[in-house]
Amino acid sequence: MKRTKDINHAGFRKQWRAYRMAPVALAVGAVFMLAGCEKSDENVSLYQNSDDCTRANPSMSEQCTTAFNNAQKEAAKTAPKYASREDCIAEFGEGQCTQAPTQAGMAAESQQSGSFWMPLMAGYMMGRMMGGGGYSQQPLFTSRAPNSPANGKFVDASGRNYGPATSGRSMNVPKTAMTPNAPTTNTVTRGGFGETVAKQNTAMQRSSTAPRRSMGG
């Protein structure tokens, strides 16, 4: 059988080339777009105290101490506050609570007895600020109460969970995770902070299992 002379070989080769290259171009485009999304995250390190930070970064002793001290100041303002020691211990466990300093803006009923209670800072996140302008920090808390969603975990004042409360870990977090939380102006009822942590955990699980688009950030 003779082949027809009317086949447009150039057109055929052009169509085949376009068909083969399109998926590759899409894949490359998706990689660059995802890389752009990843740049919005911030790499942070988690430490229990400034000594742990200094051991991991011997040349950054001053930065480690400054970040730790700033995180402690932040914790005093933003940690969940309780009207009684018993309520705090019920959420965070024995030995995990301390008397909080009086602060402006706290609801009057929480200060009628002259004091209120908060969890001890269990650690802090430390990350480099954009533009090389020093380091940012965020106080972290943990619970030893067996039934608490925060048991053995590092959580921030908003209830966001950052995994096991072990020192020296590094991870990527959204930039919003390093934004200072608003000062606490009301006391939390017993179990209230645990509910917040549980809701945050559920939201994060749904986000991680949600279908992801192949393109876009």
Side-chain angles (χ1 to χ4, degrees), residues 2-15:
K2 295 183 178 180
R3 293 181 297 177
T4 176
K5 298 180 180 180
D6 296 326
I7 294 177
N8 186 341
H9 292 282
F12 181 82
R13 285 194 295 269
K14 184 177 181 180
Q15 291 177 4

Side-chain angles (χ1 to χ4, degrees), residues 69-79 137-139 179-182:
N69 291 338
N70 288 340
Q72 284 192 313
K73 294 176 183 177
E74 191 72 17
K77 295 187 297 183
T78 63
Q137 62 283 316
Q138 186 75 274
T179 303
N181 289 290

Side-chain angles (χ1 to χ4, degrees), residues 25-197:
L26 288 173
V28 172
V31 168
F32 279 110
M33 296 186 78
L34 287 174
C37 292
E38 290 173 356
K39 287 181 180 179
S40 66
D41 290 343
E42 185 170 353
N43 186 261
V44 299
S45 295
L46 288 65
Y47 303 106
Q48 290 182 346
N49 50 55
S50 58
D51 289 339
D52 287 350
C53 176
T54 300
R55 278 192 290 269
N57 309 277
S59 64
M60 292 172 48
S61 176
E62 183 177 350
Q63 293 91 330
C64 289
T65 300
T66 298
F68 176 75
N69 291 338
N70 288 340
Q72 284 192 313
K73 294 176 183 177
E74 191 72 17
K77 295 187 297 183
T78 63
K81 307 298 193 306
Y82 297 85
S84 71
R85 177 175 178 272
E86 291 72 21
D87 286 346
C88 182
I89 290 176
E91 285 245 73
F92 290 92
E94 192 68 47
Q96 292 294 99
C97 295
T98 184
Q99 201 167 5
T102 301
Q103 66 184 63
M106 278 295 295
E109 64 272 15
S110 69
Q111 302 191 53
Q112 288 177 354
S113 63
S115 64
F116 47 96
W117 295 80
M118 58 176 269
L120 290 165
M121 189 179 83
Y124 67 111
M125 287 194 298
M126 179 177 172
R128 183 180 290 276
M129 290 181 178
M130 293 298 292
Y135 290 83
S136 56
Q137 62 283 316
Q138 186 75 274
L140 299 172
F141 310 91
T142 193
S143 174
R144 292 180 182 170
N147 297 327
S148 171
N151 179 266
K153 308 294 183 183
F154 269 147
V155 295
D156 65 16
S158 70
R160 186 178 294 178
N161 185 344
Y162 296 97
T166 54
S167 191
R169 292 192 296 114
S170 294
M171 62 187 297
N172 288 331
V173 299
K175 289 191 179 301
T176 53
M178 298 301 286
T179 303
N181 289 290
T184 302
T185 57
N186 292 287
T187 54
V188 183
T189 57
R190 184 179 299 202
F193 185 73
E195 291 179 4
T196 300
V197 174

